[in-house]
Amino acid sequence: MTGDVAVLGAGMHPWGKWGRSFVEYGTAAARAALTDAGMQWQDVQSVVGADTVRCGYPGYVAGATFAQALGWQGARVTSVYAACASGAQAVGAARAQILAGLVDVALVVGADSAPKGFFAPAGGDRPDDPDWLRYRVLGATNPAYFALYARRRMALYGDTLEDFARVKVKNAAAGALNPHARYRKVVSPEDVASSPVVADPLRLLDICATSDGAAALILTSMDFARRHGVADPVRIRAVSTVTPVYPKAVLDLPDIATDSAVSESPPPGSFRASIARAAYEEAGLGPEDLSLAEVYDLSTALELQWYEDIGLCGAGEGAKLVREGATALGGRIPVNASGGLASFGEAVPAQAIAQICELIWQLRGTAGERQVPGARAGITANQGLFGHGSAVVAVR
């Protein structure tokens, strides 16, 4: 049995700071995906919602929340939470139901209403919560976390502030062409350099914002797609949600303790590299087969790290790719043709789904001015708190 499922619909609610309920955003994205698929809500047999922890009880049971908002019609529901990997886990759950023969049609939805500023931990004392501990013990807000990674790259590989700025310039140029993006303005290197320092060495334009937004997909079995008149749909071929391997020998925030490496050699490669590797193995593809990638650019420096983690280049060579223009629109392997989080901001449960939406539009050849010519395969990659991996391979 093939591991492929068809993607017949992709939809988004534009991202920004709208000040409304996440339910409104999610239902709008769901209806857009249904329209894109040429299907009715009554055709959906399963709803998988990616949870948000900021929106009260309805956010904790997102699957049922969206099913109720769209109108109870008997579909099974699933709700998942994996921080920034929630969307990929939601897609994985829907795909598993389809491949198991439980349903033919699944709706996957993620939406969020984010606070202003950087994300803060939930209230209360939770000494067994590594996310809470990194704020209380280390004072490591997300911008501080991103800055530590940037300093590490500068020390190890000689990356420069100009390299980081090139990432922002590239993503802003792509985002300016995306009607769903929050920020649709071309940015110059001088704009980045003159923006305020947030956490040295990163400036305001090096760091993604927090946003409201939503994304949704209609997944079906291959047989259903053919019966529906779609003979050659874009397909999801792999979903990787792997965890780290013992022992973790490198300190990696937000975890503030490591497993012992005294008696065990550290595993080859990083955790993030293992996320993509598992997806490639399942899909039967490699980085050399990719037409494009969507990666998790929480900061400009982290995007460079992802180039290496998904196998586009060797360790320390990420900056070389962006200097050459290889990852820009029109380059050898465009990365974040959507504009990335630099142009969208974080709407946590929607992010991995939004990345897949971009792959779908690119592989269909309907991405407009940001279209990657002849796109045939793409990968998404991000990482959630507490060891949640997230990578999806889509093919045409």
Side-chain angles (χ1 to χ4, degrees), residues 1-382:
M1 181 176 72
T2 177
D4 286 2
V5 296
V7 185
L8 296 194
M12 295 181 69
H13 182 287
W15 291 32
K17 285 289 188 181
W18 308 112
R20 300 195 293 273
S21 167
F22 82 101
V23 182
E24 181 178 336
Y25 310 144
T27 53
R31 291 187 180 111
L34 285 164
T35 299
D36 186 46
M39 297 171 62
Q40 301 298 314
W41 161 233
Q42 289 75 15
D43 298 324
V44 173
Q45 299 164 336
S46 176
V47 181
V48 185
D51 291 345
T52 168
V53 299
R54 276 173 295 282
C55 298
Y57 190 76
Y60 304 151
V61 289
T65 296
F66 293 127
Q68 181 182 33
L70 291 162
W72 294 124
Q73 45 87 312
R76 67 172 66 211
V77 296
T78 307
S79 300
V80 301
Y81 182 69
C84 298
S86 297
Q89 290 217 358
V91 168
R95 176 175 177 251
Q97 291 175 11
I98 293 168
L99 294 179
L102 298 175
V103 301
D104 275 325
V105 182
L107 166 67
V108 180
V109 191
D112 207 356
S113 297
K116 293 183 178 179
F118 56 75
F119 292 124
D125 291 344
R126 297 185 313 282
D128 57 349
D129 177 348
D131 194 39
W132 179 86
L133 285 170
R134 58 125 168 178
Y135 283 91
R136 279 293 188 91
V137 177
L138 299 181
T141 63
N142 281 359
Y145 172 34
F146 308 153
L148 289 170
Y149 269 114
R151 277 292 173 200
R152 184 175 186 273
R153 290 196 61 84
M154 294 173 81
L156 285 178
Y157 306 130
D159 290 4
T160 67
L161 299 181
E162 291 73 24
D163 293 325
F164 301 154
R166 289 183 180 99
V167 175
K168 175 64 178 183
V169 170
K170 169 188 74 70
N171 289 348
L177 305 175
N178 192 332
H180 296 105
R182 176 179 177 181
Y183 301 105
R184 301 187 61 195
K185 179 182 177 182
V186 172
V187 169
S188 70
E190 292 74 24
D191 292 330
V192 181
S194 63
S195 64
V197 174
V198 175
D200 186 71
L202 299 179
R203 296 181 175 272
L204 184 64
L205 293 185
D206 284 304
I207 297 172
C208 75
T210 60
S211 289
D212 298 356
L217 297 165
I218 298 293
L219 307 183
T220 77
S221 66
M222 294 299 294
D223 285 344
F224 180 93
R226 296 184 186 103
R227 294 196 305 270
H228 198 65
V230 185
D232 184 27
V234 175
R235 305 178 298 283
I236 288 179
R237 179 157 288 174
V239 180
S240 168
T241 56
V242 298
T243 55
V245 174
Y246 175 90
K248 288 181 65 182
V250 177
L251 187 68
D252 184 16
L253 286 169
D255 294 332
I256 59 172
T258 61
D259 294 327
S260 173
V262 173
S263 59
E264 296 287 340
S265 298
S270 68
F271 168 47
R272 278 190 298 269
S274 75
I275 300 170
R277 184 168 61 249
Y280 290 138
E281 290 173 356
E282 183 180 341
L285 300 173
E288 67 278 2
D289 300 306
L290 297 177
S291 305
L292 73 157
E294 288 285 310
V295 304
Y296 197 32
D297 59 316
L298 291 165
S299 78
T300 51
L302 282 173
E303 176 166 324
L304 298 180
Q305 184 71 43
W306 277 113
Y307 295 172
E308 299 159 20
D309 293 331
I310 66 174
L312 301 184
C313 60
E317 297 176 354
K320 182 173 182 288
L321 287 187
V322 79
R323 290 169 195 160
E324 295 171 347
T327 57
L329 288 175
R332 175 174 60 82
I333 175 69
V335 177
N336 287 340
S338 65
L341 293 182
S343 300
F344 278 76
E346 285 192 272
V348 170
Q351 289 160 192
I353 302 170
Q355 288 180 320
I356 299 168
C357 286
E358 181 65 19
L359 292 192
I360 302 312
W361 294 323
Q362 290 284 353
L363 295 175
R364 286 179 180 172
T366 60
E369 293 180 88
R370 63 184 193 283
Q371 180 65 49
V372 176
R376 302 295 297 177
I379 192 171
T380 70
N382 70 36

